């Protein structure tokens, strides 16, 4: 069976550095940090009091107040990003669109945490007066519901589900969408990820694990991947959604094409519930599997968007994996961690970093890793590698590889390349 080619025809974003694709990309190239003191709740008693929140989001641009009450914040972000991506693609207006063959796969690592927390907060009241739960509690909370809402809004009857693999979730969603389209099971799939965990349970839970940076005195520089003084990730929120489409279907309707999805690789560390393997064994396997799936050699990759969370162990293990997989070519390509600007969007991070990879391929420019002091060197990191510190770098980007690794040892790597017909 000949596999079909899959291209990207629509982009949408609601992120800590912009509520649309153009703003998000511009701010990434300009090294703008999305970190600031938390506004969603009073964090004064928490070890970490800052986050990369979405700012100035107006849900009424996308739906009315009545509908907003039925959507957890993570699903509101997903719905907004999906509306942007679908509009950008123009697929609903095409004469060759068969909505029975359009699917939706939107990931979340956690899902409706705020909704769950609100209902849990009412538990004492339930004990006193008897159980009385919000009828929207379950359908607001579950991690697959964003996909359901998007499909209902547009009448898409194709494959519909959510993926959950912690911080690898939206890379898993993109890979699932890619595989379904190239196997001929769908003409197009709206895919990506969403998360909204900047609430007491999210921040407190990650604080208890010592996973978050506590650099409360200077939040904008707290996410500092590949620097010795890194002390944990900065939690972020938002959503990025892509429209993936079978090439011939896209060409037949005259769609604009941003890039081609070349391959995806999956693996498991099988090592620890939260820590990455110290030698990056699972990361190596995911990248090797992605290259094999894409029919590419390491030398074909010009840019790696690293998982690069700014954690003491994770950054080192990923660098080791990159050097092992790419050998001498590792010193010829660009690497950057855009989490230095956006923070870590958990289940949405893969989709956001896929967006940055797509734009890098489209525009031949690599976004930077910010917050690195040349005096702040980690002896376990090889700085002969080009981490694209401080400023974007213009270069030919034929193909980009994006890594996402999650608690539970889940690893997912996506490769995108320039579209050539």
């Amino acid at each position: 069976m000949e596999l079909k080619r899959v291209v990207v025809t629509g982009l949408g974003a609601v992120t800590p550095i912009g509520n649309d694709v153009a703003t998000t990309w511009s701010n990434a190239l300009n090294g703008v940090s999305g970190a600031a003191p938390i506004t969603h709740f009073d964090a004064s008693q928490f070890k970490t009091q800052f986050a990369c929140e979405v700012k100035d989001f107006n849900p009424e641009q996308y739906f009315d107040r009545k509908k907003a009450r039925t959507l957890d914040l993570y699903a509101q972000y997903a719905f907004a990003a999906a509306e942007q991506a679908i509009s950008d693609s123009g697929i609903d207006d095409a004469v060759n669109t068969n909505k029975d063959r359009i699917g939706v796969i939107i990931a979340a690592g956690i899902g409706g945490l705020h909704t769950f927390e609100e209902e849990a907060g009412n538990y004492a009241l339930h004990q006193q007066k008897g159980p009385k739960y919000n009828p929207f509690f379950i359908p607001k909370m579950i991690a697959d519901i964003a996909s359901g809402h998007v499909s209902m809004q547009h009448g898409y009857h194709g494959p519909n589900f959510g993926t959950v693999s912690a911080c690898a979730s939206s890379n898993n969603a993109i890979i699932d969408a890619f595989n379904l389209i190239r196997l001929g099971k769908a003409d197009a799939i709206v895919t990506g990820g969403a998360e909204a965990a900047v609430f007491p349970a999210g921040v407190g839970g990650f604080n208890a694990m010592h996973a978050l940076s506590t650099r409360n005195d200077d939040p904008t520089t707290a996410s500092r991947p590949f620097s010795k003084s890194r002390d944990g990730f900065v939690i972020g929120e938002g959503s990025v959604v892509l429209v993936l489409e079978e090439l011939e279907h896209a060409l037949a309707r005259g769609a604009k094409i941003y890039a081609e999805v070349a391959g995806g690789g999956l693996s498991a560390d099988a090592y620890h519930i939260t820590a990455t393997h110290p030698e990056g064994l699972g990361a190596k396997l995911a990248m090797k599997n992605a290259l094999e799936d894409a029919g590419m050699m390491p030398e074909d990759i010009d840019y790696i968007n690293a998982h690069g969370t700014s954690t003491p162990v994770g950054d080192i293990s990923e660098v080791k994996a990159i050097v092992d997989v790419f050998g001498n070519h590792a010193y010829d390509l660009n690497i950057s961690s855009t989490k230095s600007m956006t923070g870590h969007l958990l289940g949405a991070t893969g989709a956001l970093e896929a967006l940055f990879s797509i734009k890098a391929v489209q525009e031949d420019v690599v976004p930077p890793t910010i917050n690195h002091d040349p005096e702040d060197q980690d002896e376990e990191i090889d700085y002969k590698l080009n981490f694209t510190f401080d400023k974007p770098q213009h270069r030919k980007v034929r193909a980009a590889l994006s890594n996402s690794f999650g608690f539970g040892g889940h690893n997912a790597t996506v490769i995108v390349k320039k579209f050539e017909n």
Side-chain angles (χ1 to χ4, degrees):
M1 176 183 176
E2 184 178 355
L3 296 176
K4 298 178 182 295
R5 293 171 65 185
V6 181
V7 293
V8 182
T9 59
L11 304 172
V14 177
T15 79
I17 58 172
N19 292 341
D20 55 55
V21 170
T23 307
T24 295
W25 179 235
S26 175
N27 282 334
L29 292 181
N30 285 300
V32 174
S33 171
I38 290 171
T39 64
H40 288 337
F41 67 97
D42 180 3
S44 59
Q45 300 303 309
F46 286 73
K47 293 178 182 177
T48 296
Q49 298 165 13
F50 61 94
C52 285
E53 295 178 331
V54 170
K55 301 157 189 72
D56 302 319
F57 175 67
N58 179 11
E60 292 185 35
Q61 285 184 252
Y62 304 98
F63 39 79
D64 60 28
R65 291 182 184 180
K66 182 178 180 181
K67 186 173 182 66
R69 289 196 295 270
T70 70
L71 298 172
D72 184 88
L73 186 58
Y74 101 93
Q76 292 186 25
Y77 292 155
F79 192 95
E83 290 302 291
Q84 291 178 28
I86 293 164
S87 175
D88 182 43
S89 75
I91 195 167
D92 278 1
D93 300 324
V95 295
N96 65 332
T97 295
N98 177 358
K99 292 190 175 184
D100 288 352
R101 291 185 54 80
I102 300 180
V104 186
I105 306 172
I106 297 176
I110 300 173
L113 182 64
H114 185 216
T115 296
F116 184 85
E117 192 171 59
E118 283 184 325
E119 290 299 319
N122 291 329
Y123 182 65
L125 183 63
H126 297 162
Q127 286 185 310
Q128 295 171 10
K129 299 184 177 180
K132 185 178 180 181
Y133 286 84
N134 186 326
F136 290 107
F137 169 39
I138 299 299
K140 284 178 70 175
M141 178 196 71
I142 52 180
D144 66 301
I145 202 65
S147 295
H149 279 290
V150 172
S151 70
M152 287 183 278
Q153 177 71 16
H154 292 271
Y156 297 154
H157 294 281
N160 187 277
F161 55 93
T163 57
V164 179
S165 52
C167 303
S169 296
S170 49
N171 262 9
N172 272 114
I174 292 168
I175 293 169
D176 280 356
F178 169 60
N179 283 328
L180 285 166
I181 295 169
R182 68 175 173 169
L183 288 170
K185 306 297 183 183
D187 293 332
I189 295 183
V190 179
T191 187
E195 204 78 271
V198 185
F199 292 102
V203 175
F206 283 117
N207 268 160
M209 297 169 58
H210 305 287
L212 297 182
S213 172
T214 56
R215 202 177 292 272
N216 295 309
D217 58 332
D218 193 5
T220 60
T221 68
S223 183
R224 46 182 66 195
F226 314 120
S227 295
K228 186 173 184 177
S229 62
R230 64 193 184 278
D231 68 332
F233 71 83
V234 177
I235 190 170
E237 63 174 1
S239 176
V240 168
V241 173
L242 319 173
V243 175
L244 302 192
E245 191 170 350
E246 191 271 322
L247 173 59
E248 295 303 323
H249 189 273
L251 291 175
R253 67 182 188 86
K256 65 178 175 296
I257 295 174
Y258 289 100
E260 182 171 357
V261 184
L266 304 171
S267 73
D269 278 1
Y271 171 73
H272 189 272
I273 57 171
T274 57
T276 57
H277 191 283
E279 299 301 318
L281 295 186
K284 293 178 194 176
L285 185 57
M287 287 188 280
K288 288 178 178 178
N289 287 343
L291 287 166
E292 181 180 358
D293 189 47
M296 288 180 165
M297 300 297 292
E299 293 75 19
D300 296 324
I301 303 297
D302 292 319
Y303 169 48
I304 295 176
N305 188 295
H307 187 56
T309 55
S310 188
T311 55
V313 175
D315 288 9
I316 292 171
S317 65
E318 186 175 11
V319 170
K320 288 179 179 179
I322 289 170
V323 172
D324 185 81
V325 171
F326 288 87
N328 289 334
H329 181 62
Y331 300 91
D332 295 327
L333 50 74
N334 280 70
I335 302 165
S336 72
S337 172
T338 46
K339 288 185 180 72
S340 57
M341 298 172 282
T342 67
H344 190 355
L345 272 63
L346 309 177
T349 201
L352 175 56
E353 288 154 21
L355 169 65
F356 291 143
S357 299
I358 291 162
K359 294 298 289 182
V361 164
Q362 182 195 19
E363 298 189 6
D364 288 321
V365 58
V366 174
T369 305
I370 67 169
N371 298 331
H372 181 71
D373 181 345
E375 302 299 317
D376 190 17
Q377 305 278 15
D378 188 325
E379 56 275 9
E380 294 193 65
I381 291 178
D382 185 352
Y383 291 101
K384 293 192 293 293
L385 296 166
N386 184 354
F387 291 106
T388 322
F389 286 131
D390 302 321
K391 294 181 180 179
Q393 183 172 333
H394 291 268
R395 62 164 296 166
K396 187 75 170 179
V397 184
R398 299 164 299 164
L401 177 151
S402 178
N403 283 328
S404 290
F405 312 135
F407 287 174
H410 314 298
N411 306 301
T413 297
V414 170
I415 297 175
V416 296
K417 65 181 182 180
K418 284 191 183 299
F419 168 67
E420 294 178 359
N421 190 12

